Coordinates of all heavy atoms in Angstrom, one line a residue:
K1 N 135.5 2.2 121.9 CA 135.1 3.6 121.7 C 134.3 4.1 122.9 O 134.5 5.3 123.3 CB 134.3 3.7 120.4 CG 135.1 3.4 119.1 CD 134.1 3.6 117.9 CE 134.8 3.3 116.6 NZ 133.9 3.5 115.4
Y2 N 133.4 3.3 123.4 CA 132.6 3.7 124.5 C 133.4 4.0 125.7 O 133.3 5.0 126.4 CB 131.5 2.7 124.8 CG 130.7 2.9 126.0 CD1 129.6 3.8 125.9 CD2 130.9 2.2 127.2 CE1 128.8 4.1 127.0 CE2 130.1 2.5 128.3 CZ 129.0 3.4 128.2 OH 128.2 3.6 129.3
S3 N 134.4 3.1 126.0 CA 135.3 3.3 127.1 C 136.1 4.5 127.0 O 136.3 5.3 128.0 CB 136.2 2.1 127.3 OG 135.4 0.9 127.6
L4 N 136.6 4.8 125.8 CA 137.4 6.0 125.5 C 136.6 7.2 125.7 O 137.0 8.2 126.3 CB 138.0 6.0 124.1 CG 138.9 7.1 123.7 CD1 140.1 7.2 124.7 CD2 139.3 7.0 122.3
A5 N 135.3 7.2 125.3 CA 134.4 8.3 125.4 C 134.1 8.6 126.9 O 134.0 9.7 127.3 CB 133.1 8.1 124.7
R6 N 134.0 7.5 127.7 CA 133.8 7.7 129.1 C 135.0 8.3 129.8 O 134.9 9.3 130.6 CB 133.6 6.3 129.8 CG 132.2 5.6 129.6 CD 131.2 6.1 130.6 NE 131.6 5.8 131.9 CZ 131.3 4.7 132.6 NH1 130.6 3.7 132.0 NH2 131.7 4.5 133.8
T7 N 136.2 7.9 129.4 CA 137.4 8.4 129.9 C 137.6 9.9 129.6 O 138.0 10.7 130.4 CB 138.7 7.7 129.3 OG1 138.6 6.3 129.7 CG2 140.0 8.3 129.8
N8 N 137.1 10.3 128.4 CA 137.2 11.7 127.9 C 136.1 12.5 128.4 O 136.0 13.7 128.0 CB 137.4 11.7 126.4 CG 138.7 11.2 125.9 OD1 139.7 11.2 126.7 ND2 138.7 10.7 124.7
G9 N 135.1 12.0 129.1 CA 134.0 12.7 129.6 C 132.9 13.0 128.6 O 132.1 13.9 128.8
L10 N 132.9 12.3 127.5 CA 131.9 12.5 126.5 C 130.6 11.8 126.8 O 129.5 12.1 126.3 CB 132.5 12.0 125.1 CG 133.7 12.8 124.6 CD1 134.2 12.2 123.3 CD2 133.4 14.3 124.5
V11 N 130.7 10.7 127.6 CA 129.5 10.0 128.1 C 129.7 9.8 129.6 O 130.9 9.8 130.1 CB 129.3 8.7 127.4 CG1 129.0 8.9 125.9 CG2 130.4 7.7 127.6
N12 N 128.6 9.7 130.3 CA 128.8 9.5 131.8 C 128.4 8.1 132.1 O 128.0 7.3 131.3 CB 127.9 10.6 132.6 CG 126.4 10.4 132.3 OD1 125.9 9.3 132.4 ND2 125.8 11.5 131.9
E13 N 128.6 7.8 133.4 CA 128.4 6.4 133.8 C 127.0 5.9 133.7 O 126.7 4.7 133.8 CB 128.9 6.3 135.3 CG 128.2 7.1 136.3 CD 128.8 7.0 137.7 OE1 129.9 6.4 137.8 OE2 128.1 7.5 138.6
L14 N 126.1 6.8 133.6 CA 124.7 6.4 133.5 C 124.2 6.2 132.1 O 123.1 5.7 131.8 CB 123.8 7.5 134.1 CG 124.0 7.7 135.6 CD1 123.0 8.8 136.1 CD2 123.7 6.4 136.4
D15 N 125.1 6.6 131.1 CA 124.8 6.4 129.7 C 125.0 5.0 129.3 O 126.1 4.4 129.5 CB 125.6 7.3 128.8 CG 125.3 8.8 129.0 OD1 124.1 9.1 129.1 OD2 126.2 9.7 128.9
D16 N 124.0 4.4 128.6 CA 124.1 3.0 128.1 C 124.7 3.1 126.7 O 124.4 4.0 126.0 CB 122.7 2.4 128.1 CG 122.8 0.9 127.8 OD1 122.7 0.6 126.6 OD2 122.9 0.1 128.7
I17 N 125.4 2.1 126.3 CA 126.0 2.1 125.0 C 125.0 1.9 123.9 O 125.2 2.2 122.7 CB 127.1 1.0 124.9 CG1 127.9 1.1 123.6 CG2 126.5 -0.4 125.0 CD1 129.2 0.2 123.6
G18 N 123.8 1.3 124.2 CA 122.8 1.1 123.2 C 122.9 -0.3 122.5 O 123.7 -1.1 122.9
G19 N 122.0 -0.5 121.6 CA 122.0 -1.8 120.9 C 120.9 -1.8 119.9 O 120.3 -0.8 119.6
D20 N 120.6 -3.1 119.4 CA 119.5 -3.2 118.4 C 119.7 -2.4 117.2 O 118.8 -1.7 116.7 CB 118.1 -2.9 119.0 CG 117.8 -3.8 120.2 OD1 118.3 -5.0 120.2 OD2 117.1 -3.4 121.1
V21 N 120.9 -2.4 116.6 CA 121.2 -1.6 115.5 C 121.4 -2.5 114.3 O 121.9 -3.6 114.4 CB 122.5 -0.8 115.7 CG1 122.9 0.0 114.4 CG2 122.4 0.2 116.8
G22 N 120.9 -2.1 113.1 CA 121.0 -2.9 111.9 C 120.4 -2.2 110.7 O 120.4 -0.9 110.7
I23 N 120.0 -2.9 109.8 CA 119.4 -2.4 108.5 C 117.9 -2.8 108.4 O 117.6 -4.0 108.6 CB 120.1 -3.0 107.3 CG1 121.7 -2.6 107.4 CG2 119.6 -2.4 106.0 CD1 122.5 -3.3 106.3
H24 N 117.1 -1.8 108.2 CA 115.7 -2.1 108.0 C 115.1 -1.2 106.9 O 115.7 -0.3 106.4 CB 114.9 -2.0 109.3 CG 114.9 -0.6 110.0 ND1 114.4 0.5 109.4 CD2 115.5 -0.2 111.1 CE1 114.6 1.6 110.2 NE2 115.2 1.2 111.3
G25 N 113.8 -1.5 106.6 CA 113.1 -0.7 105.6 C 112.4 0.5 106.2 O 112.8 1.1 107.2
V26 N 111.3 0.9 105.5 CA 110.5 2.0 105.9 C 109.0 1.5 106.0 O 108.7 0.5 105.4 CB 110.6 3.2 105.0 CG1 111.9 3.8 105.0 CG2 110.1 2.8 103.6
V27 N 108.2 2.3 106.7 CA 106.8 2.0 106.7 C 106.2 2.2 105.2 O 106.6 3.1 104.5 CB 106.0 2.9 107.6 CG1 104.5 2.7 107.6 CG2 106.5 2.7 109.1
D28 N 105.4 1.3 104.8 CA 104.8 1.4 103.4 C 104.3 2.8 103.2 O 103.5 3.4 104.0 CB 103.7 0.4 103.2 CG 104.2 -1.0 103.1 OD1 105.4 -1.2 102.8 OD2 103.4 -2.0 103.3
G29 N 104.6 3.4 102.1 CA 104.2 4.7 101.7 C 105.2 5.8 102.0 O 104.9 7.0 101.6
L30 N 106.2 5.5 102.8 CA 107.2 6.5 103.2 C 108.6 6.3 102.5 O 109.6 6.8 103.1 CB 107.3 6.6 104.7 CG 106.0 6.9 105.5 CD1 106.3 7.0 106.9 CD2 105.5 8.3 105.0
E31 N 108.6 5.7 101.4 CA 109.9 5.5 100.7 C 110.5 6.8 100.2 O 111.7 6.8 99.9 CB 109.8 4.4 99.6 CG 109.3 3.1 100.2 CD 109.7 1.9 99.3 OE1 110.1 2.2 98.2 OE2 109.6 0.8 99.8
S32 N 109.8 7.8 100.1 CA 110.3 9.1 99.8 C 111.3 9.6 100.8 O 112.2 10.5 100.5 CB 109.2 10.2 99.6 OG 108.5 10.4 100.9
F33 N 111.3 9.1 102.0 CA 112.3 9.4 103.0 C 113.7 9.1 102.5 O 114.6 9.8 102.8 CB 112.0 8.7 104.3 CG 111.0 9.4 105.2 CD1 109.9 10.1 104.7 CD2 111.2 9.4 106.6 CE1 109.0 10.7 105.5 CE2 110.2 10.1 107.4 CZ 109.2 10.7 106.9
I34 N 113.8 8.0 101.8 CA 115.1 7.6 101.2 C 115.5 8.5 100.1 O 116.6 9.0 100.0 CB 115.0 6.1 100.8 CG1 114.4 5.2 101.8 CG2 116.4 5.6 100.4 CD1 115.2 5.2 103.1
D35 N 114.6 8.8 99.2 CA 114.8 9.7 98.1 C 115.3 11.1 98.5 O 116.1 11.7 97.9 CB 113.6 9.8 97.1 CG 113.3 8.5 96.4 OD1 114.2 7.7 96.1 OD2 112.1 8.2 96.2
N36 N 114.6 11.5 99.6 CA 114.9 12.9 100.1 C 116.0 13.0 101.1 O 116.3 14.0 101.6 CB 113.6 13.4 100.7 CG 112.5 13.6 99.8 OD1 112.7 13.7 98.6 ND2 111.2 13.7 100.2

């Protein structure tokens, strides 16, 4: 997907694909972020 986006000009050569993605919780006391 990243390579296709580069080809189509949606990202440039200086843009990193990113990483460190997953599932995590919230800081204690901010669970209303999920409800809202």
Side-chain angles (χ1 to χ4, degrees):
K1 290 181 180 180
Y2 177 78
S3 297
L4 181 61
R6 285 275 302 269
T7 300
N8 292 333
L10 300 177
V11 298
N12 63 53
E13 60 182 12
L14 298 179
D15 289 325
D16 190 271
I17 192 172
D20 301 329
V21 176
I23 303 172
H24 60 64
V26 296
V27 176
D28 288 341
L30 298 182
E31 298 204 347
S32 61
F33 276 38
I34 310 300
D35 293 325
N36 294 339

